Amino acid sequence: MVFLTHLLLAAVRCYQVAYGIKSMGWSRARVLNTHLPTAEDAFKLKKFRFFHCSFLSKELGLLLRFSMSSWRSLVLRIGEKCSEYGGNADYRDHLETCFGVVRRELLHSGDDILHFLLECAEQLPHKIPLYGTLVGLLNLENEDFVRKIVENTHANLQVALDSGNCNRIRVLMRFLTVLMCSKVLQPSSLVVLYETLLSSAATTVDEDKGNPSWQACADFYITCILSCLPWGGSELVEQVPEEIDRVMVGIQAYMSIRRRVSDAACSAFEFIDEKNQDDGAKDFLEDLWGWIQDLSNKGWKLDSVPRPHLSFEPQLVAGKAHDFAPLTCPAQPDPPAVVTGITYGKQKHEAELKYPRRLRRLNIFPASKTEDLQPIDRFIVEEYLLDVLFFLNGCEHVKSSEFLLLVILVEKQESSYYFVFGSCKASRKECAAAMVGLPVPFRYEYIMAETIFSQILLLPHPPFKPIYYTLVIMDLCKALPGAFPAVIAGAVRALFDKIADLDMECRTRLILWFSHHLSNFQFIWPWEEWAYVLELPKWAPQRVFVQEVLEREVRLSYWEKIKQSIESAPALEELLPPKGTTNFIYSAEAVDQTERSLSTDLSGMVKERLTSREMISWIDGHVLSTHGLDTTLRVVVQTLLNIGSKSFTHLITVLERYGQVIARICPDQDKQIMLITEVSSFWKNNAQMTAIAIDRMMGYRLISNLAIVTWVFSPTNVEQFHVSDRPWEILRNAVNKTFNRITDLRKEISSLKKSVVSATEAASKALAEHEDAKTKHTLALVDGEPVLAENPKIKRLKLNAEKKKEEEVSTRESLEAKEALFVRATDEIETLFIFLFKSFCKVLAGPLQDTDGNLHTSGETVEMVVDHEDSSAMELEEDGRSPKSHSNGGKTQNGYNVGEKEQWCLSTLGYVKALTRQYASEIWLHIEKIDAEVLTEDVHPLLRKAVYSGLQRPTTDF
């Protein structure tokens, strides 16, 4: 940070000298501690202007720049109650002011305005109606400029369609719809665009002409069309009624031939029993189609879409409506020659990865909280929120959130120069500000909370890392201190009431988020509300949830602090993890003195910095041969872990320096299992360090993933599957590290293949230049007479050709080496998944047979979501609290009546489904072998169902 500060000051001083600007009187402290210079500094600057960057775009790295009098600021801040517009929030005044300034700048900065305006429209889509109206006003003054906007939008949309950039396709289509409303685009051209996507979608799902496994793409196209209609349906019906009716009829026809999509596999709330799934429920696209039909029947009247163009309609009608050239949708892959459940499922999975669902709604709160809203209004608010979360995510390109974002604008004559020193802090603030300032006339904090939680719990993967949503929620709590904290607390209570029905992966995410959230608010929570969990069985999901949250809080703080935070419910101390002390057996008096002596000698060798070879020689000669393997392993592992127990850095140093010693003692899987057992014993009071130590040892290849899986499925750990996350965390780490290895190799191979092509071209070019030079001779004077001589460039060209050839050979060798590693990694991950599923089959066979597969002994399971106004168990009070409920997920009122064995089966099957879903992309590549060796006819139907559900595999394979 100090270095960057000096760099910033040096840059400022250089430009002071370059442009003849006097000293500003800046101090180092001011640069470090303030985001903006003072008003006095700003006055001194004259030719300098300082301002913050609004955000860094995820997609384009867009730098939005603004100062008090800049046209960029007016375009960027349009529609906001901000200083640029004098605190006025009237759309018409904003548009007139912005239009006047931009119109004057068109002659000097036309290209900059065009690109900046398009970037704003793409990356601030909740303001698209304002940008569309602004373009409509500019169309009255400069038709050529607006024609370029339309052409650029056409080119961008075609690129987005070709690359499958879902967010860009959706936003650009909305922008074009709004341009049609502002009389910039011909309505018939927009209808042609809709029909192009509709035709592609209908062809895709056609059994004879298309590839129905790619229905995800077809559904996405239809969703894009339907989601545009709230912004332009009224104008289309008024101007081209027959054409839009044709589109609506086409959509109705599409809805009749597509397959209904089941969300059971990716629902945050899961059912094990088939009888609990509501097969008659509509899917998301059917719901959206119904909402659009209702909106059409009501005359396209809704509150959530601003229509600023209506204020300027008398002027806009005089503008020229431009044509929009036809677009082409990319062709989908051909269907497999032989359609089976596996071939269909593989392509379906590929399509869903490329065209994922961006929202799976969670109805956390009672319907009374949003009962006054039309469903389509809620949908639009969710669209706004998801757009803001996506486009104002500024943490992707920045490593430190503490690095100040300062942009220095130097203006000289008509040129502007920008120098960026950046951070994501401004982006977070902009994100929160945009979310609380959406252009809707009603309150929506409950929808906002549900939308954020739907992203945190989105399956199979959330769009961003969980920490991003933690920061957003924290900023929203600060931005709306009187409302949002209570709403978040109500959401937590509601999810806690339904924790027994929450997907296992979602449960883990909720634990991680909630513990991190509390760490940002001094770990304050009314724990007395949940003190009743102590009366529940140790396997009750609510009790396990509280236990795991407290354990994660201890990781983020320290044991005494967390104990102090639960003073309102002191009995919960029973659920706190042990203090994270080591279990170094040689510190006890009753230990075997011979082993203690050996441990002392080994510690001395480490202090004397003996090499691994010397230590191995001593172990072979004095320990292993005399005391046997068990004693040797125990002494070495306990001693080295004790030396490395001071910190994570100490542990890494010990493993790097003496990993060969451990590898010498534990060369095979059986001994590695013993090693893991010893590590777990040493860190039995600290789950975090156990997981870290095992993960690091796997990273250094001291233990294999198969050894970890074998250890996780040992009887001692199997007994904890339903009461602790400890074994699952270690298993997740092992599978994830193996998966990351092969993923990284794929990326490296892809990059090397491109490098080989470039190197081959460069080598061929260099060789051609050399050969060409050899055929060309030059004249040289020899004894005063001109004679033919060799081209003097030949030697240099020859060396260059040889160098390029060596680079090509080296790149090819690197590629071959990576491909060999990839083959090994492929075999390794295939072996891992087969072994993992076999382990699940082995441990589940007996318990599932004992329960006869009846895992809901309490009778009919309650609703997974609460949307009944009279549901007292979920009706929130004014402070966001719910009345005391001991329902523990809705099972009973006074306890948890699911037996321990049944709960163990439910938890283990839940993890089977979660792990399968998370690594489905890799599992599909090996599904034939998994079917042949694991998912045979003998496997229990519930285990098969869990795997199939995680893969979203067609049930026709049953």
Side-chain angles (χ1 to χ4, degrees):
M1 183 65 191
V2 173
F3 168 76
L4 293 172
T5 302
H6 286 301
L7 180 64
L8 171 60
L9 291 171
V12 171
R13 184 57 188 156
C14 287
Y15 283 96
Q16 288 176 340
V17 174
Y19 292 100
I21 299 173
K22 296 182 178 180
S23 174
M24 299 175 292
W26 265 21
S27 68
R28 179 175 178 273
R30 180 175 295 165
V31 176
L32 281 172
N33 298 321
T34 62
H35 285 245
L36 290 173
T38 62
E40 181 181 358
D41 287 333
F43 176 76
K44 290 179 181 179
L45 289 175
K46 295 182 181 179
K47 292 186 179 182
F48 275 73
R49 289 182 185 147
F50 291 78
F51 46 87
H52 277 82
C53 171
S54 174
F55 62 82
L56 294 174
S57 164
K58 177 180 183 300
E59 296 268 34
L60 304 175
L62 169 66
L63 178 63
L64 291 183
R65 306 166 288 260
F66 56 91
S67 65
M68 193 57 142
S69 60
S70 170
W71 60 263
R72 291 182 176 85
S73 174
L74 294 174
V75 173
L76 173 68
R77 295 299 185 188
I78 194 168
E80 300 178 17
K81 189 175 182 180
C82 55
S83 57
E84 282 82 355
Y85 288 100
N88 181 18
D90 183 77
Y91 289 161
R92 183 179 178 89
D93 290 348
H94 283 211
L95 285 164
E96 289 175 344
T97 302
C98 189
F99 166 63
V101 173
V102 171
R103 179 181 57 183
R104 289 194 297 271
E105 294 289 338
L106 277 179
L107 291 177
H108 309 291
S109 308
D111 290 341
D112 290 342
I113 292 173
L114 187 149
H115 294 299
F116 191 78
L117 187 57
L118 286 176
E119 288 172 344
C120 285
E122 283 190 35
Q123 300 181 35
L124 297 172
H126 58 289
K127 296 185 181 182
I128 277 181
L130 298 170
Y131 293 127
T133 305
L134 177 60
V135 173
L137 293 173
L138 292 173
N139 191 41
L140 301 174
E141 299 289 331
N142 193 327
E143 292 180 359
D144 290 339
F145 173 79
V146 173
R147 176 179 51 78
K148 292 180 181 179
I149 288 181
V150 174
E151 291 173 351
N152 274 264
T153 304
H154 177 277
N156 292 341
L157 182 55
Q158 185 63 68
V159 170
L161 285 168
D162 293 338
S163 62
N165 189 333
C166 296
N167 282 292
R168 202 176 191 195
I169 295 170
R170 179 179 46 79
V171 170
L172 287 175
M173 287 187 62
R174 187 192 305 175
F175 183 52
L176 290 171
T177 302
V178 171
L179 289 182
M180 180 275 302
C181 297
S182 299
K183 315 303 180 186
V184 173
L185 198 68
Q186 290 282 3
S188 57
S189 296
L190 185 64
V191 170
V192 170
L193 171 60
Y194 290 169
E195 290 181 331
T196 300
L197 268 65
L198 178 57
S199 175
S200 176
T203 302
T204 298
V205 298
D206 187 276
E207 295 283 351
D208 299 324
K209 301 178 181 178
N211 187 355
S213 60
W214 276 76
Q215 182 178 309
C217 174
D219 282 355
F220 170 73
Y221 287 167
I222 301 301
T223 300
C224 287
I225 298 171
L226 294 177
S227 63
C228 287
L229 294 180
W231 277 267
S234 177
E235 284 75 10
L236 288 171
V237 169
E238 179 183 344
Q239 299 177 43
V240 284
E242 294 182 359
E243 287 86 343
I244 193 61
D245 282 346
R246 189 170 65 240
V247 171
M248 300 292 275
V249 170
I251 293 175
Q252 181 65 64
Y254 171 82
M255 298 300 294
S256 66
I257 62 174
R258 68 182 286 272
R259 296 185 181 183
R260 175 172 290 169
V261 178
S262 172
D263 280 341
C266 291
S267 172
F269 296 101
E270 64 176 350
F271 296 95
I272 298 296
D273 293 335
E274 184 74 27
K275 63 182 180 181
N276 288 315
Q277 296 184 16
D278 186 4
D279 295 330
K282 293 181 179 180
D283 63 21
F284 173 77
L285 187 59
E286 290 173 323
D287 281 334
L288 179 57
W289 173 234
W291 301 335
I292 294 297
Q293 288 177 309
D294 291 342
L295 182 63
S296 174
N297 295 333
K298 295 178 181 179
W300 303 96
K301 295 179 180 179
L302 70 170
D303 300 325
S304 51
V305 175
R307 306 176 69 78
H309 64 277
L310 295 179
S311 300
F312 299 92
E313 194 163 23
Q315 299 101 293
L316 294 175
V317 293
K320 176 185 177 181
H322 300 264
D323 290 321
F324 193 76
L327 287 166
T328 57
C329 295
Q332 305 306 333
D334 293 331
V338 180
V339 180
T340 65
I342 291 178
T343 57
Y344 179 90
K346 285 182 177 180
Q347 288 206 354
K348 178 175 178 287
H349 178 74
E350 182 184 352
E352 289 172 348
L353 283 180
K354 190 171 183 180
Y355 299 95
R357 276 273 302 277
R358 70 194 302 242
L359 177 68
R360 286 184 168 86
R361 182 176 293 174
L362 289 178
N363 293 319
I364 298 175
F365 300 105
S368 58
K369 298 299 179 182
T370 56
E371 63 182 0
D372 295 334
L373 289 182
Q374 296 185 69
I376 192 63
D377 279 317
R378 176 180 176 129
F379 167 76
I380 291 170
V381 171
E382 289 169 342
E383 287 283 288
Y384 287 150
L385 293 169
L386 294 176
D387 288 339
V388 171
L389 285 170
F390 181 82
F391 289 107
L392 296 192
N393 166 47
C395 301
E396 286 290 300
H397 307 293
V398 190
K399 294 183 178 178
S400 172
S401 62
E402 298 303 322
F403 186 21
L404 300 181
L405 179 55
L406 182 62
V407 182
I408 305 175
L409 167 63
V410 184
E411 291 187 346
K412 183 178 181 182
Q413 297 178 353
E414 296 178 359
S415 300
S416 297
Y417 305 91
Y418 297 88
F419 306 91
V420 183
F421 301 86
S423 147
C424 67
K425 182 174 287 187
S427 301
R428 283 175 43 201
K429 302 300 181 184
E430 290 292 329
C431 180
M435 290 184 76
V436 301
L438 297 181
V440 295
F442 47 80
R443 297 184 63 175
Y444 53 89
E445 57 267 26
Y446 289 98
I447 299 177
M448 186 156 58
E450 286 186 348
T451 303
I452 296 174
F453 276 106
S454 75
Q455 296 298 284
I456 295 175
L457 305 180
L458 185 65
L459 297 172
H461 305 286
F464 300 105
K465 293 181 179 179
I467 190 173
Y468 172 55
Y469 302 106
T470 304
L471 296 174
V472 168
I473 290 175
M474 182 176 67
D475 289 333
L476 289 173
C477 288
K478 294 177 180 179
L480 299 172
F484 204 65
V487 173
I488 290 296
V492 171
R493 292 182 176 95
L495 289 170
F496 181 73
D497 284 343
K498 290 294 175 184
I499 199 71
D501 299 316
L502 200 62
D503 180 90
M504 295 305 297
E505 183 177 344
C506 293
R507 202 179 302 182
T508 301
R509 290 188 202 171
L510 186 63
I511 290 168
L512 295 176
W513 167 80
F514 187 50
S515 56
H516 191 190
H517 176 75
L518 292 181
S519 73
N520 289 312
F521 293 93
Q522 302 178 5
F523 299 100
I524 296 174
W525 182 257
W527 291 105
E528 65 276 8
E529 295 181 9
W530 292 350
Y532 68 86
V533 300
L534 292 171
E535 304 169 7
L536 302 174
K538 65 178 182 179
W539 60 85
Q542 286 188 339
R543 177 176 174 134
V544 174
F545 177 83
V546 174
Q547 168 189 300
E548 293 300 324
V549 167
L550 293 175
E551 197 275 333
R552 293 287 176 169
E553 284 188 342
V554 170
R555 296 190 187 189
L556 296 170
S557 183
Y558 52 95
W559 195 89
E560 290 77 8
K561 171 67 175 178
I562 304 307
K563 179 185 175 183
Q564 182 182 1
S565 72
I566 59 174
E567 286 181 345
S568 61
L572 287 178
E573 184 179 342
E574 178 184 336
L575 299 183
L576 281 175
K579 290 187 177 181
T581 56
T582 62
N583 181 36
F584 183 51
I585 60 176
Y586 301 120
S587 62
E589 294 294 333
V591 74
D592 184 283
Q593 295 303 312
T594 302
E595 292 188 18
R596 174 183 282 185
S597 176
L598 292 171
S599 175
T600 303
D601 293 343
L602 187 60
S603 296
M605 294 178 185
V606 173
K607 291 179 181 178
E608 293 173 5
R609 295 183 179 274
L610 265 65
T611 64
S612 294
R613 181 173 298 180
E614 292 172 321
M615 194 174 290
I616 290 172
S617 178
W618 175 79
I619 290 172
D620 287 342
H622 296 82
V623 186
L624 190 59
S625 59
T626 305
H627 301 281
L629 176 64
D630 290 350
T631 299
T632 302
L633 189 147
R634 184 163 53 250
V635 169
V636 171
V637 174
Q638 284 274 337
T639 304
L640 293 181
L641 287 179
N642 187 56
I643 294 171
S645 64
K646 293 181 180 179
S647 69
F648 177 70
T649 306
H650 282 75
L651 174 64
I652 298 302
T653 302
V654 167
L655 292 178
E656 288 179 348
R657 188 172 297 171
Y658 299 109
Q660 294 178 10
V661 177
I662 298 175
R664 171 69 179 80
I665 301 171
C666 307
D668 55 43
Q669 183 172 314
D670 291 339
K671 306 214 176 28
Q672 290 170 8
I673 295 170
M674 295 170 62
L675 169 61
I676 299 171
T677 302
E678 202 61 49
V679 172
S680 178
S681 173
F682 181 85
W683 286 113
K684 70 177 184 179
N685 296 324
N686 194 320
Q688 181 181 22
M689 285 306 299
T690 302
I692 289 174
I694 294 174
D695 182 71
R696 289 291 83 203
M697 287 181 175
M698 180 180 169
Y700 292 125
R701 300 282 186 173
L702 302 179
I703 53 180
S704 68
N705 48 26
L706 296 183
I708 295 174
V709 173
T710 304
W711 178 81
V712 167
F713 283 90
S714 63
T716 303
N717 290 316
V718 168
E719 292 174 357
Q720 300 181 50
F721 277 7
H722 59 316
V723 296
S724 173
D725 188 56
R726 184 168 182 153
W728 296 115
E729 180 183 8
I730 294 169
L731 180 63
R732 287 195 301 266
N733 290 344
V735 178
N736 193 53
K737 187 174 288 292
T738 307
F739 177 77
N740 287 340
R741 283 173 182 169
I742 197 168
T743 301
D744 292 342
L745 282 171
R746 283 196 180 97
K747 293 178 181 178
E748 291 171 5
I749 289 173
S750 176
S751 176
L752 281 171
K753 285 181 177 179
K754 295 177 182 178
S755 299
V756 165
V757 172
S758 300
T760 302
E761 292 175 353
S764 300
K765 182 180 179 181
L767 181 62
E769 290 176 350
H770 177 238
E771 295 295 333
D772 184 59
K774 287 168 63 176
T775 61
K776 297 179 180 178
H777 296 277
T778 59
L779 291 176
L781 293 176
V782 178
D783 297 331
E785 295 292 330
V787 296
L788 291 176
E790 189 180 62
N791 193 327
K793 295 181 180 180
I794 287 181
K795 185 175 182 181
R796 177 177 60 82
L797 292 174
K798 180 180 179 181
L799 291 174
N800 183 56
E802 291 174 350
K803 179 182 177 182
K804 295 297 183 183
K805 186 62 178 179
E806 289 175 359
E807 291 177 355
E808 178 191 357
V809 172
S810 175
T811 307
R812 289 186 182 277
E813 290 176 349
S814 298
L815 176 60
E816 291 174 359
K818 291 295 182 183
E819 287 177 337
L821 289 174
F822 180 75
V823 172
R824 286 178 52 193
T826 301
D827 293 339
E828 179 186 17
I829 201 167
E830 180 183 75
T831 303
L832 172 64
F833 282 124
I834 291 174
F835 186 71
L836 179 61
F837 285 126
K838 284 183 177 179
S839 299
F840 276 121
C841 288
K842 183 178 179 180
V843 299
L844 278 163
L848 286 177
Q849 186 175 5
D850 293 343
T851 60
D852 293 327
N854 182 18
L855 301 183
H856 290 295
T857 57
S858 61
E860 185 178 352
T861 306
V862 297
E863 294 286 337
M864 288 298 100
V865 294
V866 176
D867 55 4
H868 303 294
E869 183 178 354
D870 59 349
S871 179
S872 61
M874 291 294 297
E875 186 68 42
L876 301 179
E877 297 174 354
E878 290 299 320
D879 63 352
R881 300 189 181 190
S882 59
K884 293 288 183 65
S885 170
H886 293 208
S887 64
N888 194 61
K891 299 299 180 185
T892 67
Q893 285 299 315
N894 299 314
Y896 189 66
N897 69 345
V898 173
E900 183 172 10
K901 185 171 290 187
E902 288 78 6
Q903 183 60 51
W904 184 92
C905 291
L906 286 169
S907 299
T908 306
L909 287 171
Y911 279 112
V912 171
K913 178 181 175 181
L915 287 168
T916 305
R917 180 177 53 223
Q918 185 174 358
Y919 302 105
S921 298
E922 201 63 40
I923 293 173
W924 271 115
L925 299 177
H926 311 285
I927 194 63
E928 289 87 353
K929 197 165 184 179
I930 292 174
D931 275 356
E933 297 190 22
V934 184
L935 301 178
T936 60
E937 295 179 356
D938 298 333
V939 74
H940 195 282
L942 285 182
L943 175 58
R944 184 193 301 271
K945 181 174 178 57
V947 176
Y948 276 42
S949 181
L951 294 173
Q952 300 187 63
R953 183 173 176 176
T955 55
T956 53
D957 276 4
F958 277 94

